[in-house]
Amino acid sequence: MNTPFFPVILAGGKGERFWPLSRALRPKQFLSLDGSSRSLLQATADRLLQIADGWENLWVITSSQIAQGVREQLPSLPSENLLVELQGRDTAAAVAWASLEIKKRYGEEAMIGFFPADHWIADQEAFARTLSAATQLAASSEAIVTLGIKPTFASTGYGYIEEGEKIGSFDELPFFHVNRFTEKPDRETAEKFLSTGKFSWNSGMFIFRAGVVLKELHTHAPEIIEPLEQHGADIYPQLPKKSIDYALMEKTSIAYVLPVEFGWDDLGDWNAIERLLKKEENPNVELATHVGLDTQGAVIYATDPDDVIVTIGLEDVVIVRDRNVTLIVKKDRTQEIKQILKTLQSDSRFTELL
């Protein structure tokens, strides 16, 4: 890329649906979930560094609770490029603050991209080509570009983006005006979306110039951007808690989507491990010492190699053993892990498990 590019990694999430492996001081982005030696945060930094042309252009925004962990995971990250939120206020505040800071240092023409820390991407070359195309559009026009993932099944766990008019191509990749964003639909609606061929999954990845996004935030989310401009990051705990989709992307008229195919998963819960690692010849996904009888369709994980998990007659379950906790849940109910965490939070006996 000819234009300097400043990727910002959004690393403040909790990853609660990966509990008990993901905990308060060891959230999902610090974990290696694909069998490699690199955590999700480190893998995200690895692929963005090639595009950013070095550590000096890479930024991370995270929570005060795990900031030290980020420093340990990314020791080469310049300290001034790590933004630490006093209190998490969702992605709209994170995008606004980071964009302001980059504008102060590099000006309104600075090209910025925002990327969640916990995504898995298979084809790094296709990912880099996609970002190059998105940057060309954002550099040449008033545009907020989002990457839409071409859906492979009728997911009810993702938001969707409807493609409108095609506005052109960069590097032979087509761009479309965004017609609308839709939150997680029911099964019937998701199937209808797929049948049209005009919908993408909302990846949560965005590219724009600093001045463009700040102008749009002033128009559509002044309650977030104006306090930050007037008071700086100290005002953070008083900002409204809104996602960037709700605060800006659903309202702006300059949103464009680039539908992409580079092998993507947002690793939302334990079922993602099966999507990444399942092999046809094996009845289960085993990241543990497992002895099973008539067990199939299971995801089995243990952090201690000395722990042995024995199963008989189980089907379509997730079993996770981490230190002093064992989780057993049916695969179709992993989304409910967040509910059980609320129960644990209300009982002082279980504080150390969170």
Side-chain angles (χ1 to χ4, degrees), residues 74-148:
L74 304 177
S76 298
L77 181 73
S79 59
E80 63 271 21
N81 290 11
L82 178 62
L83 303 181
V84 180
E85 298 172 307
L86 296 174
Q87 186 179 78
R89 306 310 293 160
D90 215 324
T91 52
V95 168
W97 184 27
S99 298
L100 277 173
E101 293 301 318
I102 292 173
K103 177 205 164 188
K104 288 176 187 176
R105 199 181 301 182
Y106 300 103
E108 291 192 350
E109 295 303 304
M111 191 65 58
I112 309 174
F114 282 84
F115 305 89
D118 53 2
H119 288 183
W120 172 85
I121 290 174
D123 190 335
Q124 307 298 325
E125 289 186 9
F127 177 73
R129 177 170 167 253
T130 297
L131 286 189
S132 175
T135 300
Q136 290 177 61
L137 174 60
S140 62
S141 60
E142 299 280 304
I144 296 177
V145 183
T146 183
L147 305 187

Side-chain angles (χ1 to χ4, degrees), residues 11-12 14 60-67 71 82-90 93-94 97-98 101 227-228 231-239 241:
K14 299 178 181 178
V60 177
I61 185 164
T62 191
S63 68
S64 57
Q65 191 172 25
I66 61 170
R71 295 185 184 99
L82 178 62
L83 303 181
V84 180
E85 298 172 307
L86 296 174
Q87 186 179 78
R89 306 310 293 160
D90 215 324
W97 184 27
E101 293 301 318
L228 280 169
H231 305 285
D234 289 343
I235 200 69
Y236 223 84
Q238 299 176 44
L239 296 177
K241 192 172 185 180

Side-chain angles (χ1 to χ4, degrees), residues 5-22:
F5 184 61
F6 302 97
V8 182
I9 301 176
L10 298 164
K14 299 178 181 178
E16 291 179 327
R17 284 170 292 185
F18 270 95
W19 183 87
L21 194 59
S22 179

Side-chain angles (χ1 to χ4, degrees), residues 262-281:
F262 41 55
W264 172 90
D265 201 298
D266 76 338
L267 302 180
D269 62 26
W270 282 104
N271 289 308
I273 302 300
E274 184 173 54
R275 293 195 294 269
L276 262 59
L277 303 179
K278 184 73 170 73
K279 297 179 180 178
E280 288 187 11
E281 63 271 22

Side-chain angles (χ1 to χ4, degrees), residues 23 34 63 65 76 82 113 119 122 137 162 188 203 205 266 297 317 346 350 352:
R23 306 200 192 188
D34 62 358
S63 68
Q65 191 172 25
S76 298
L82 178 62
H119 288 183
L137 174 60
E162 184 180 19
E188 182 180 356
S203 72
M205 293 183 273
D266 76 338
V317 297
S346 66
F350 303 129
E352 66 174 31

Side-chain angles (χ1 to χ4, degrees), residues 58-59 73 90 115 133 148 159 164 188 214 219-220 326 328 330 334:
L58 183 68
W59 292 60
Q73 291 248 319
D90 215 324
F115 305 89
E188 182 180 356
L214 293 174
T219 299
H220 301 291
T326 301
I328 304 170
K330 293 184 69 174
T334 54

